[in-house]
Amino acid sequence: MYEDIDKLVRVAEQELRRHFDIKENPEERIQFGEATTEDFMNAIDSDHEAMIAFFQKIAGLPDREFERQYGVRGVGSRFRDRKTSLKGVEDAERFADALVDLMPSSLSLEAALYSFYKAWEGDQRRFYRMRYETEFIEFLTEEGYDAWKGNSLPGEPDIVIPKSEPYEVIGEIRVIQQKDKQKRFKEFRTEAHEAHENFDHIKFVVVANLGRQYLADHGRETVRSEITKSGTSEIDAVFFHDEREECTEQLEKWDVSKNPQQPLTELE
C-alpha cells in the first residue's frame, strides 16, 4: 500500500513542477494564481490517476461534493483510470476550470504533498482493509467454511464461522501500520476477551497484516508472542498475511464445521 502511495506522491510532485511556476521565498511555493484552465488541464492529462486525486484532496472536492456544487458526476471514479486523453472532455474541462477558482494563489509544495499523502493514506487504509477482509472471507469460503462478516453480532467481528449458532470461530482482521501496532495488538486482546464473553466455546483468531519486511526484521514468533502477550491473552491463534494455509490447517485441527459436500447429481 505505501509503495503505491509513495509512487503517487512522486508523480504528483513531478507533474506540479512541470506544469506550474514554483518560486522559492524561502520555501518552494506553487503559484496556482498564475495558472490557467489550460495549465490545470495539461497537469491533469499528464497523469489522470495522480493529478485528479491530488487536486480533489487539496481542493476539498471529492466526487460527491463536486457533483453537489457543479452538477458533474463522478470526476474521480470516471476519469482517474481512463487511458485516453481527457482534453476536450467536457466534464474534465469543467473540473479544470473549477480549480482555477478553488486552488489558493500560492501554496507550499511541501505542505501540499504532505497533505495529499496523509489524505490519500487515510482513504487507502480503509480501502485496503476492506479489500483484505473480503479476500480473506472469500478464501475461507472457497476452502469450504461458511464464513461471513458479523456486522449484526456483538463486537461486529470480521470473521464468523458458521453462519448460524452455535458459532465456532470468531476473528478480527487488521492491516497494521508500525506506528499503530501496540494499539492494534491491545485491541486484539480486548476483542478476544469480549468474544469469549459473548459466545460460548468459540476459538478466537487474529489475522494480522504487518508486511513481509516487518516480520523479517522482528521474527514471526516474536511478533506472534507480542500479539498474544506471550500466550496469556484469550487469543487462540494468530496468522499473518501469508499464512492462509496455516489458518486452514488450524481450523481442521479444531474440527471446525465445513459446508456439506453437494452430491454430484446436484452439480450436473
Side-chain angles (χ1 to χ4, degrees):
M1 180 181 83
Y2 286 97
E3 290 178 1
D4 293 342
I5 298 173
D6 288 342
K7 179 182 178 182
L8 208 65
V9 173
R10 285 197 301 271
V11 171
E13 179 179 3
Q14 171 186 303
E15 299 308 329
L16 287 168
R17 292 185 181 279
R18 280 182 58 198
H19 296 284
F20 300 96
D21 184 29
I22 297 177
K23 296 179 180 177
E24 292 187 37
N25 56 340
E27 65 177 354
E28 291 186 301
R29 298 189 68 84
I30 315 164
Q31 305 305 305
F32 287 124
E34 301 174 3
T36 64
T37 298
E38 184 179 3
D39 293 327
F40 282 106
M41 193 65 241
N42 287 338
I44 291 167
D45 206 46
S46 65
D47 192 292
H48 305 163
E49 181 184 15
M51 299 314 293
I52 290 177
F54 174 83
F55 286 124
Q56 284 193 304
K57 292 302 180 187
I58 300 304
L61 279 180
D63 281 2
R64 188 173 300 177
E65 182 63 18
F66 192 71
E67 182 178 3
R68 187 184 70 81
Q69 291 190 34
Y70 295 91
V72 176
R73 179 183 56 83
V75 168
S77 59
R78 290 163 56 206
F79 296 143
R80 272 204 307 267
D81 296 328
R82 181 163 168 162
K83 304 303 181 187
T84 56
S85 175
L86 293 175
K87 291 182 178 180
V89 177
E90 184 178 352
D91 287 350
E93 297 277 2
R94 184 75 184 91
F95 180 63
D97 192 49
L99 292 173
V100 174
D101 298 325
L102 292 169
M103 294 300 288
S105 60
S106 177
L107 183 64
S108 163
L109 176 63
E110 181 180 2
L113 293 173
Y114 179 77
S115 296
F116 176 44
Y117 185 100
K118 299 305 291 183
W120 197 249
E121 177 190 38
D123 285 353
Q124 293 305 295
R125 286 179 67 187
R126 287 187 291 273
F127 170 74
Y128 271 74
R129 178 181 174 180
M130 287 188 292
R131 188 175 72 178
Y132 190 69
E133 288 174 358
T134 300
E135 287 177 351
F136 201 87
I137 292 294
E138 289 175 350
F139 163 74
L140 292 174
T141 302
E142 289 169 1
E143 291 296 312
Y145 295 100
D146 208 2
W148 60 294
K149 183 175 172 65
N151 288 332
S152 60
L153 299 180
E156 300 183 2
D158 296 326
I159 303 170
V160 183
I161 303 174
K163 287 193 176 179
S164 58
E165 296 188 72
Y167 303 121
E168 300 174 42
V169 176
I170 299 291
E172 296 291 344
I173 302 172
R174 295 284 190 284
V175 177
I176 302 172
Q177 279 186 286
Q178 291 188 30
K179 67 178 183 178
D180 294 334
K181 66 184 182 67
Q182 291 303 329
K183 178 181 177 182
R184 301 307 174 204
F185 293 174
K186 184 177 180 180
E187 285 177 355
F188 284 142
R189 296 190 290 268
T190 300
E191 289 160 341
H193 175 73
E194 291 175 351
H196 280 287
E197 285 196 332
N198 290 326
F199 308 101
D200 295 328
H201 312 301
I202 56 102
K203 296 293 187 182
F204 186 87
V205 302
V206 162
V207 180
N209 187 341
L210 292 114
R212 185 183 302 107
Q213 192 59 51
Y214 184 85
L215 295 178
D217 292 343
H218 295 83
R220 288 175 185 267
E221 297 313 313
T222 299
V223 178
R224 210 184 311 269
S225 180
E226 194 175 355
I227 292 172
T228 65
K229 218 168 185 180
S230 301
T232 62
S233 72
E234 295 172 83
I235 297 171
D236 295 291
V238 174
F239 306 103
F240 298 119
H241 67 283
D242 56 354
E243 294 181 342
R244 294 186 175 188
E245 185 176 332
E246 288 82 349
C247 178
T248 54
E249 287 174 358
Q250 184 62 68
L251 296 181
E252 289 175 3
K253 288 178 183 177
W254 287 336
D255 200 24
V256 174
S257 300
K258 282 190 171 185
N259 287 323
Q261 292 286 331
Q262 285 182 282
L264 290 177
T265 55
E266 292 184 18
L267 299 175
E268 293 176 351

